[in-house]
Coordinates of all heavy atoms in Angstrom, one line a residue:
D1 N -4.9 37.8 -12.5 CA -4.2 37.2 -11.4 C -2.8 37.9 -11.2 O -2.1 38.2 -12.2 CB -3.9 35.7 -11.7 CG -5.1 34.9 -11.5 OD1 -5.8 35.0 -10.5 OD2 -5.4 34.1 -12.4
K2 N -2.5 38.1 -10.0 CA -1.2 38.8 -9.6 C -0.2 37.7 -9.3 O -0.5 36.8 -8.5 CB -1.5 39.7 -8.4 CG -0.3 40.5 -8.0 CD -0.7 41.4 -6.9 CE 0.6 41.9 -6.3 NZ 0.3 42.6 -5.0
E3 N 1.0 37.8 -9.9 CA 2.0 36.8 -9.6 C 2.7 37.1 -8.3 O 2.8 38.3 -7.9 CB 3.1 36.9 -10.7 CG 2.7 36.3 -12.0 CD 3.8 36.3 -13.0 OE1 5.0 36.3 -12.6 OE2 3.5 36.2 -14.2
E4 N 3.0 36.1 -7.5 CA 3.7 36.2 -6.2 C 5.1 36.4 -6.5 O 5.8 35.6 -7.1 CB 3.5 34.9 -5.4 CG 4.1 35.0 -4.1 CD 3.1 35.6 -3.0 OE1 1.9 35.7 -3.3 OE2 3.6 35.9 -2.0
I5 N 5.7 37.6 -6.1 CA 7.1 37.9 -6.3 C 7.8 38.1 -5.0 O 7.3 38.9 -4.2 CB 7.3 39.1 -7.2 CG1 6.7 38.9 -8.6 CG2 8.7 39.5 -7.3 CD1 6.7 40.1 -9.5
L6 N 8.9 37.4 -4.8 CA 9.6 37.6 -3.5 C 11.0 38.2 -3.9 O 11.6 37.9 -4.9 CB 9.9 36.2 -2.9 CG 8.7 35.4 -2.5 CD1 9.1 34.0 -2.1 CD2 7.8 36.1 -1.5
I7 N 11.4 39.2 -3.1 CA 12.6 39.8 -3.3 C 13.7 39.2 -2.4 O 13.5 39.0 -1.2 CB 12.6 41.4 -3.0 CG1 11.6 42.0 -3.9 CG2 14.0 42.0 -3.2 CD1 11.3 43.5 -3.6
D8 N 14.7 38.7 -3.0 CA 15.8 38.1 -2.2 C 16.6 39.2 -1.6 O 17.3 40.0 -2.3 CB 16.7 37.3 -3.1 CG 16.1 36.0 -3.6 OD1 15.1 35.6 -3.0 OD2 16.5 35.4 -4.6
D9 N 16.6 39.3 -0.3 CA 17.2 40.3 0.5 C 18.5 39.8 1.1 O 18.6 39.3 2.1 CB 16.3 40.8 1.6 CG 16.9 42.0 2.3 OD1 17.8 42.7 1.8 OD2 16.5 42.2 3.5
E10 N 19.6 40.0 0.4 CA 20.9 39.6 0.8 C 21.8 40.8 1.1 O 21.8 41.7 0.3 CB 21.6 38.7 -0.2 CG 20.8 37.4 -0.5 CD 20.8 36.4 0.7 OE1 21.7 36.5 1.5 OE2 19.9 35.6 0.7
S11 N 22.5 40.8 2.2 CA 23.2 41.9 2.6 C 24.4 42.2 1.7 O 25.0 43.3 1.6 CB 23.7 41.8 4.0 OG 24.5 40.6 4.1
F12 N 24.9 41.2 0.9 CA 26.0 41.3 0.1 C 25.7 41.8 -1.4 O 26.5 41.8 -2.2 CB 26.8 40.0 0.0 CG 26.1 38.8 -0.5 CD1 26.0 38.6 -1.9 CD2 25.5 38.0 0.4 CE1 25.3 37.5 -2.3 CE2 24.8 36.9 -0.1 CZ 24.7 36.6 -1.5
Q13 N 24.4 42.1 -1.6 CA 24.0 42.6 -2.9 C 24.8 43.8 -3.3 O 25.2 44.6 -2.4 CB 22.6 42.9 -3.0 CG 21.7 41.7 -3.2 CD 20.2 42.1 -3.3 OE1 19.9 43.2 -3.2 NE2 19.4 41.1 -3.6
D14 N 25.0 44.0 -4.6 CA 25.8 45.2 -5.0 C 25.0 46.5 -5.1 O 25.5 47.5 -5.5 CB 26.4 44.9 -6.4 CG 25.4 44.6 -7.5 OD1 24.2 44.9 -7.2 OD2 25.8 44.2 -8.5
N15 N 23.7 46.4 -4.7 CA 22.8 47.6 -4.6 C 22.5 48.2 -6.0 O 21.8 49.1 -6.2 CB 23.4 48.7 -3.7 CG 23.4 48.3 -2.3 OD1 22.5 47.6 -1.9 ND2 24.3 48.9 -1.5
L16 N 23.1 47.5 -7.1 CA 22.7 47.9 -8.4 C 21.7 47.0 -9.0 O 20.9 47.5 -9.9 CB 24.0 47.9 -9.3 CG 25.1 48.8 -8.9 CD1 26.3 48.6 -9.8 CD2 24.7 50.3 -9.0
N17 N 21.6 45.8 -8.6 CA 20.7 44.8 -9.1 C 19.9 44.2 -7.9 O 20.4 43.8 -6.9 CB 21.4 43.7 -9.8 CG 22.2 44.2 -11.0 OD1 21.7 44.9 -11.8 ND2 23.5 43.8 -11.0
T18 N 18.6 44.2 -8.1 CA 17.7 43.6 -7.1 C 17.3 42.2 -7.7 O 16.8 42.2 -8.9 CB 16.4 44.4 -6.8 OG1 16.9 45.7 -6.3 CG2 15.5 43.7 -5.8
L19 N 17.4 41.2 -7.0 CA 17.1 39.9 -7.5 C 15.6 39.5 -7.1 O 15.2 39.7 -6.0 CB 18.0 38.8 -6.8 CG 19.5 39.1 -7.0 CD1 20.3 38.0 -6.3 CD2 19.8 39.0 -8.5
F20 N 14.9 39.0 -8.1 CA 13.5 38.7 -7.9 C 13.4 37.2 -8.1 O 14.1 36.6 -9.0 CB 12.6 39.4 -8.9 CG 12.5 40.9 -8.6 CD1 13.3 41.8 -9.2 CD2 11.6 41.3 -7.7 CE1 13.2 43.1 -9.0 CE2 11.5 42.7 -7.4 CZ 12.3 43.6 -8.1
R21 N 12.5 36.6 -7.4 CA 12.1 35.2 -7.6 C 10.6 35.1 -7.8 O 9.9 35.5 -6.9 CB 12.6 34.3 -6.4 CG 12.4 32.8 -6.7 CD 12.9 32.0 -5.5 NE 11.9 32.1 -4.4 CZ 12.3 32.3 -3.1 NH1 13.5 32.3 -2.8 NH2 11.4 32.3 -2.2
I22 N 10.2 34.5 -8.9 CA 8.8 34.3 -9.1 C 8.4 32.9 -8.8 O 9.0 32.0 -9.3 CB 8.4 34.6 -10.6 CG1 8.8 36.1 -11.0 CG2 6.9 34.4 -10.9 CD1 8.6 36.4 -12.4
D23 N 7.5 32.7 -7.9 CA 7.1 31.4 -7.5 C 6.0 30.9 -8.4 O 4.9 31.2 -8.2 CB 6.6 31.4 -6.0 CG 7.8 31.5 -5.0 OD1 8.9 31.3 -5.5 OD2 7.5 31.8 -3.9
D24 N 6.4 30.1 -9.4 CA 5.4 29.4 -10.2 C 5.9 28.0 -10.6 O 7.0 27.7 -10.3 CB 5.1 30.3 -11.5 CG 6.3 30.4 -12.4 OD1 7.3 29.7 -12.2 OD2 6.3 31.3 -13.3
A25 N 5.1 27.3 -11.2 CA 5.4 25.9 -11.5 C 6.6 25.8 -12.4 O 7.5 24.9 -12.2 CB 4.2 25.2 -12.2
Q26 N 6.8 26.6 -13.4 CA 8.0 26.5 -14.3 C 9.3 26.8 -13.5 O 10.3 26.1 -13.7 CB 7.8 27.5 -15.5 CG 8.9 27.4 -16.5 CD 9.0 26.0 -17.2 OE1 8.1 25.3 -17.3 NE2 10.2 25.7 -17.6
T27 N 9.3 27.9 -12.7 CA 10.4 28.2 -11.9 C 10.8 27.1 -11.0 O 11.9 26.7 -10.8 CB 10.2 29.5 -11.1 OG1 9.9 30.5 -12.0 CG2 11.4 29.9 -10.3
T28 N 9.8 26.5 -10.3 CA 10.0 25.4 -9.4 C 10.6 24.2 -10.1 O 11.5 23.6 -9.6 CB 8.7 25.0 -8.7 OG1 8.1 26.2 -8.1 CG2 8.9 23.9 -7.7
K29 N 10.1 23.9 -11.3 CA 10.6 22.8 -12.1 C 12.1 23.1 -12.5 O 12.9 22.2 -12.3 CB 9.8 22.6 -13.4 CG 10.3 21.4 -14.2 CD 9.4 21.3 -15.4 CE 10.0 20.1 -16.3 NZ 9.5 20.1 -17.6
I30 N 12.4 24.3 -12.9 CA 13.8 24.6 -13.2 C 14.7 24.5 -12.0 O 15.8 24.0 -12.1 CB 13.9 26.0 -13.9 CG1 13.2 25.9 -15.3 CG2 15.3 26.5 -14.0 CD1 12.9 27.3 -15.9
E31 N 14.2 25.0 -10.9 CA 15.0 25.0 -9.6 C 15.2 23.5 -9.2 O 16.3 23.1 -8.8 CB 14.3 25.7 -8.5 CG 14.7 27.1 -8.4 CD 14.1 27.8 -7.2 OE1 14.5 27.4 -6.0 OE2 13.4 28.7 -7.3
T32 N 14.2 22.7 -9.3 CA 14.3 21.3 -9.0 C 15.4 20.6 -9.9 O 16.2 19.8 -9.4 CB 13.0 20.6 -9.1 OG1 12.0 21.2 -8.2 CG2 13.1 19.1 -8.8
E33 N 15.3 20.9 -11.2 CA 16.3 20.3 -12.1 C 17.7 20.8 -11.8 O 18.7 20.0 -11.8 CB 15.9 20.6 -13.5 CG 14.7 19.8 -14.0 CD 14.2 20.3 -15.4 OE1 14.9 21.0 -16.1 OE2 13.1 19.8 -15.8
A34 N 17.8 22.0 -11.5 CA 19.1 22.6 -11.1 C 19.7 22.0 -9.8 O 20.9 21.6 -9.8 CB 19.0 24.1 -11.0
N35 N 18.8 21.8 -8.8 CA 19.2 21.1 -7.6 C 19.7 19.7 -7.8 O 20.7 19.2 -7.3 CB 18.1 21.2 -6.6 CG 17.9 22.6 -6.0 OD1 18.8 23.4 -6.1 ND2 16.7 22.8 -5.5
R36 N 18.9 19.0 -8.7 CA 19.2 17.6 -9.0 C 20.6 17.5 -9.7 O 21.4 16.7 -9.4 CB 18.1 17.0 -9.9 CG 18.1 15.5 -9.8 CD 16.9 15.0 -10.6 NE 15.6 15.3 -9.9 CZ 14.5 15.7 -10.4 NH1 14.4 15.8 -11.7 NH2 13.4 15.9 -9.7
F37 N 20.8 18.4 -10.7 CA 22.1 18.5 -11.4 C 23.3 18.8 -10.4 O 24.3 18.1 -10.4 CB 22.1 19.5 -12.5 CG 23.4 19.7 -13.2 CD1 23.9 18.8 -14.1 CD2 24.2 20.8 -12.8 CE1 25.1 19.0 -14.7 CE2 25.4 21.0 -13.4 CZ 25.9 20.1 -14.4
A38 N 23.1 19.7 -9.6 CA 24.1 20.1 -8.6 C 24.4 19.0 -7.7 O 25.6 18.7 -7.4 CB 23.7 21.3 -7.8
A39 N 23.4 18.3 -7.2 CA 23.6 17.1 -6.3 C 24.4 16.0 -7.0 O 25.3 15.5 -6.4 CB 22.3 16.6 -5.8
S40 N 24.1 15.7 -8.2 CA 24.8 14.7 -8.9 C 26.2 15.1 -9.3 O 27.1 14.3 -9.4 CB 24.1 14.1 -10.1 OG 23.5 15.1 -10.9
L41 N 26.5 16.4 -9.4 CA 27.8 16.9 -9.7 C 28.7 16.9 -8.5 O 29.8 16.4 -8.6 CB 27.7 18.4 -10.2 CG 29.0 19.0 -10.6 CD1 29.5 18.4 -11.9 CD2 28.7 20.5 -10.9
I42 N 28.2 17.3 -7.3 CA 29.0 17.3 -6.1 C 29.0 16.0 -5.3 O 29.8 15.8 -4.5 CB 28.7 18.5 -5.2 CG1 27.3 18.5 -4.7 CG2 29.0 19.8 -5.9 CD1 27.0 19.5 -3.7
M43 N 28.0 15.2 -5.6 CA 27.8 13.9 -5.0 C 27.6 12.8 -6.0 O 26.5 12.3 -6.1 CB 26.7 13.9 -3.9 CG 26.9 14.9 -2.8 SD 25.5 14.9 -1.6 CE 24.4 16.0 -2.5
P44 N 28.6 12.5 -6.8 CA 28.4 11.5 -7.9 C 27.9 10.1 -7.4 O 28.3 9.7 -6.3 CB 29.8 11.3 -8.5 CG 30.5 12.5 -8.1 CD 30.0 12.9 -6.8
K45 N 27.0 9.6 -8.1 CA 26.3 8.3 -7.7 C 27.3 7.2 -7.3 O 27.1 6.7 -6.2 CB 25.4 7.8 -8.9 CG 24.7 6.5 -8.6 CD 23.8 6.1 -9.8 CE 23.1 4.9 -9.5 NZ 22.2 4.5 -10.6
S46 N 28.2 6.9 -8.1 CA 29.1 5.8 -7.8 C 29.9 6.1 -6.5 O 30.2 5.2 -5.7 CB 30.1 5.5 -8.9 OG 30.9 6.6 -9.2
L47 N 30.4 7.3 -6.3 CA 31.1 7.7 -5.1 C 30.3 7.7 -3.9 O 30.7 7.2 -2.8 CB 31.8 9.0 -5.3 CG 32.9 9.1 -6.4 CD1 33.4 10.5 -6.5 CD2 34.0 8.1 -6.2
V48 N 29.0 8.1 -4.0 CA 28.1 8.1 -2.9 C 27.8 6.6 -2.5 O 27.8 6.3 -1.3 CB 26.8 8.9 -3.2 CG1 25.8 8.6 -2.1 CG2 27.1 10.3 -3.3
I49 N 27.6 5.8 -3.4 CA 27.3 4.4 -3.2 C 28.5 3.8 -2.4 O 28.3 3.1 -1.4 CB 26.9 3.6 -4.4 CG1 25.6 4.1 -5.0 CG2 26.9 2.1 -4.2 CD1 25.2 3.6 -6.3
N50 N 29.7 4.0 -2.9 CA 30.9 3.5 -2.3 C 31.0 4.0 -0.9 O 31.4 3.2 0.0 CB 32.2 3.8 -3.1 CG 32.2 3.1 -4.4 OD1 31.6 2.0 -4.6 ND2 33.0 3.6 -5.3
A51 N 30.8 5.3 -0.7 CA 31.0 5.9 0.7 C 29.9 5.3 1.6 O 30.2 4.9 2.8 CB 30.8 7.4 0.6
W52 N 28.7 5.1 1.1 CA 27.6 4.6 1.9 C 27.9 3.1 2.3 O 27.7 2.8 3.5 CB 26.3 4.7 1.2 CG 25.2 4.2 2.1 CD1 24.4 3.1 1.9 CD2 24.6 4.8 3.3 NE1 23.5 2.9 2.9 CE2 23.6 3.9 3.7 CE3 25.0 5.9 4.0 CZ2 22.9 4.2 4.9 CZ3 24.2 6.2 5.2 CH2 23.2 5.3 5.6
N53 N 28.4 2.4 1.4 CA 28.7 0.9 1.6 C 29.8 0.8 2.7 O 29.8 -0.1 3.5 CB 29.0 0.2 0.4 CG 27.8 0.0 -0.5 OD1 26.7 -0.1 0.0 ND2 28.0 -0.2 -1.8
E54 N 30.7 1.7 2.7 CA 31.8 1.7 3.6 C 31.5 2.3 5.0 O 31.8 1.7 6.0 CB 33.0 2.5 3.0 CG 34.3 2.5 3.9 CD 35.4 3.3 3.3 OE1 35.5 3.3 2.0 OE2 36.2 3.8 4.0
L55 N 30.8 3.4 5.0 CA 30.6 4.2 6.2 C 29.2 3.9 6.9 O 29.1 3.9 8.1 CB 30.7 5.7 5.9 CG 32.0 6.2 5.3 CD1 31.9 7.6 4.9 CD2 33.1 6.0 6.3
K56 N 28.2 3.7 6.1 CA 26.8 3.4 6.7 C 26.4 4.4 7.7 O 25.7 4.1 8.7 CB 26.8 2.0 7.3 CG 27.0 0.9 6.3 CD 25.8 0.7 5.4 CE 26.0 -0.6 4.6 NZ 25.1 -0.6 3.4
N57 N 26.8 5.7 7.5 CA 26.5 6.8 8.4 C 26.3 8.0 7.6 O 27.2 8.5 6.8 CB 27.6 6.9 9.4 CG 27.4 8.0 10.4 OD1 27.5 9.2 10.0 ND2 27.0 7.7 11.6
I58 N 25.1 8.7 7.7 CA 24.8 9.8 6.9 C 25.7 11.0 7.2 O 26.3 11.6 6.3 CB 23.3 10.3 7.1 CG1 22.4 9.2 6.7 CG2 23.0 11.6 6.4 CD1 20.9 9.4 7.0
E59 N 26.0 11.2 8.5 CA 26.9 12.4 8.8 C 28.3 12.1 8.3 O 28.9 13.1 7.8 CB 26.9 12.6 10.4 CG 27.6 13.8 10.8 CD 27.5 14.1 12.3 OE1 26.5 13.6 12.9 OE2 28.4 14.8 12.8
A60 N 28.8 10.9 8.4 CA 30.1 10.6 7.9 C 30.2 10.8 6.4 O 31.2 11.3 5.9 CB 30.6 9.2 8.3
C61 N 29.2 10.4 5.7 CA 29.1 10.6 4.2 C 29.0 12.1 3.9 O 29.7 12.5 3.0 CB 27.9 9.8 3.6 SG 28.1 8.0 3.6
A62 N 28.2 12.8 4.6 CA 28.1 14.2 4.4 C 29.5 14.9 4.6 O 29.9 15.7 3.8 CB 27.1 14.9 5.3
N63 N 30.2 14.5 5.6 CA 31.5 15.1 5.9 C 32.5 14.7 4.8 O 33.3 15.5 4.3 CB 32.1 14.6 7.2 CG 31.4 15.3 8.4 OD1 30.8 16.3 8.3 ND2 31.4 14.6 9.5
A64 N 32.4 13.5 4.3 CA 33.3 13.0 3.2 C 33.1 13.9 1.9 O 34.1 14.1 1.2 CB 33.0 11.6 2.9
F65 N 31.9 14.3 1.7 CA 31.6 15.1 0.5 C 31.5 16.6 0.8 O 31.2 17.4 -0.1 CB 30.3 14.6 -0.2 CG 30.4 13.3 -0.9 CD1 30.3 12.1 -0.2 CD2 30.8 13.2 -2.2 CE1 30.4 10.9 -0.8 CE2 30.9 12.0 -2.8 CZ 30.8 10.9 -2.1
N66 N 31.7 17.0 2.0 CA 31.7 18.4 2.5 C 30.3 19.0 2.1 O 30.2 20.1 1.5 CB 32.8 19.2 1.9 CG 33.1 20.5 2.6 OD1 32.8 20.6 3.8 ND2 33.6 21.5 1.9
V67 N 29.2 18.3 2.4 CA 27.9 18.8 2.2 C 27.1 18.7 3.5 O 27.6 18.0 4.5 CB 27.1 18.0 1.1 CG1 27.8 18.2 -0.3 CG2 27.0 16.5 1.4
S68 N 25.9 19.3 3.5 CA 25.1 19.2 4.8 C 24.5 17.8 4.9 O 24.4 17.0 3.9 CB 24.0 20.2 4.7 OG 23.0 19.8 3.7
V69 N 24.2 17.5 6.1 CA 23.5 16.2 6.4 C 22.2 16.1 5.6 O 21.8 15.0 5.1 CB 23.3 16.0 7.9 CG1 22.5 14.8 8.2 CG2 24.7 15.9 8.6
V70 N 21.5 17.2 5.5 CA 20.2 17.2 4.8 C 20.5 16.9 3.3 O 19.7 16.1 2.7 CB 19.5 18.6 5.0 CG1 18.3 18.7 4.1 CG2 19.1 18.8 6.4
A71 N 21.5 17.6 2.7 CA 21.8 17.3 1.3 C 22.1 15.9 1.1 O 21.7 15.2 0.1 CB 22.9 18.2 0.8
M72 N 22.9 15.3 2.0 CA 23.3 13.9 1.8 C 22.1 13.0 2.0 O 22.0 12.0 1.3 CB 24.5 13.5 2.8 CG 24.9 12.1 2.7 SD 25.5 11.6 1.0 CE 27.0 12.6 0.8
S73 N 21.3 13.3 3.0 CA 20.1 12.5 3.2 C 19.2 12.4 2.0 O 18.7 11.4 1.6 CB 19.3 13.0 4.4 OG 20.0 13.0 5.6
I74 N 19.0 13.6 1.4 CA 18.2 13.6 0.2 C 18.8 12.8 -1.0 O 18.2 12.1 -1.6 CB 18.0 15.1 -0.3 CG1 17.1 15.8 0.7 CG2 17.4 15.2 -1.7 CD1 17.0 17.3 0.6
R75 N 20.2 13.0 -1.1 CA 20.9 12.2 -2.2 C 20.8 10.7 -1.9 O 20.5 9.9 -2.9 CB 22.3 12.6 -2.2 CG 23.1 12.0 -3.4 CD 22.7 12.6 -4.7 NE 23.6 12.1 -5.7 CZ 23.2 11.7 -6.9 NH1 21.9 11.7 -7.3 NH2 24.1 11.3 -7.8
L76 N 20.9 10.3 -0.7 CA 20.8 8.9 -0.4 C 19.4 8.3 -0.6 O 19.2 7.2 -1.1 CB 21.2 8.6 1.1 CG 22.7 8.8 1.4 CD1 23.0 8.8 2.9 CD2 23.6 7.8 0.7
E77 N 18.4 9.1 -0.3 CA 17.0 8.7 -0.5 C 16.8 8.6 -2.0 O 16.2 7.7 -2.5 CB 16.1 9.8 0.1 CG 15.9 9.7 1.6 CD 15.0 10.7 2.2 OE1 14.3 11.4 1.4 OE2 15.1 10.9 3.4
K78 N 17.3 9.6 -2.8 CA 17.1 9.5 -4.3 C 17.7 8.3 -4.9 O 17.3 7.8 -5.9 CB 17.6 10.8 -4.9 CG 16.9 12.1 -4.5 CD 15.5 12.1 -5.1 CE 14.8 13.4 -4.8 NZ 13.4 13.4 -5.1
L79 N 18.9 7.9 -4.3 CA 19.6 6.7 -4.8 C 19.0 5.4 -4.2 O 19.6 4.4 -4.4 CB 21.1 6.9 -4.5 CG 21.8 8.0 -5.2 CD1 23.2 8.1 -4.8 CD2 21.7 7.8 -6.7
K80 N 18.0 5.6 -3.4 CA 17.3 4.4 -2.7 C 18.3 3.6 -1.9 O 18.2 2.4 -1.8 CB 16.6 3.5 -3.8 CG 15.5 4.2 -4.6 CD 14.9 3.3 -5.6 CE 13.8 3.9 -6.4 NZ 13.4 5.2 -6.5
L81 N 19.1 4.3 -1.2 CA 20.1 3.7 -0.3 C 19.6 3.7 1.2 O 20.1 3.0 2.0 CB 21.5 4.3 -0.4 CG 22.1 4.2 -1.7 CD1 23.4 5.0 -1.8 CD2 22.5 2.7 -2.0
L82 N 18.6 4.5 1.5 CA 18.0 4.6 2.8 C 16.7 3.7 2.8 O 16.0 3.7 1.9 CB 17.7 6.0 3.2 CG 18.9 6.9 3.4 CD1 18.5 8.3 3.8 CD2 19.9 6.4 4.4
N83 N 16.5 3.1 3.9 CA 15.3 2.3 4.1 C 14.1 3.2 4.3 O 14.1 4.1 5.0 CB 15.4 1.3 5.2 CG 16.5 0.2 4.9 OD1 16.8 0.0 3.7 ND2 17.1 -0.3 5.9

């Protein structure tokens, strides 16, 4: 079996290192855990709950935390604050 390898093509690379991403279950699990950690770091549960209770608006909450509406939506869903 051949592994699926994607090359991250970013214009700001230093041209000395090529970044590779291997799409497999372990990598996906690690990425998911990293995303979950990052979300809780930049959008702490208690602060998100307080903001949601006060604002009741996804875009306003996203602006308050300086994150995307998508990121805030996912965080609110994970915290079971959205119906």
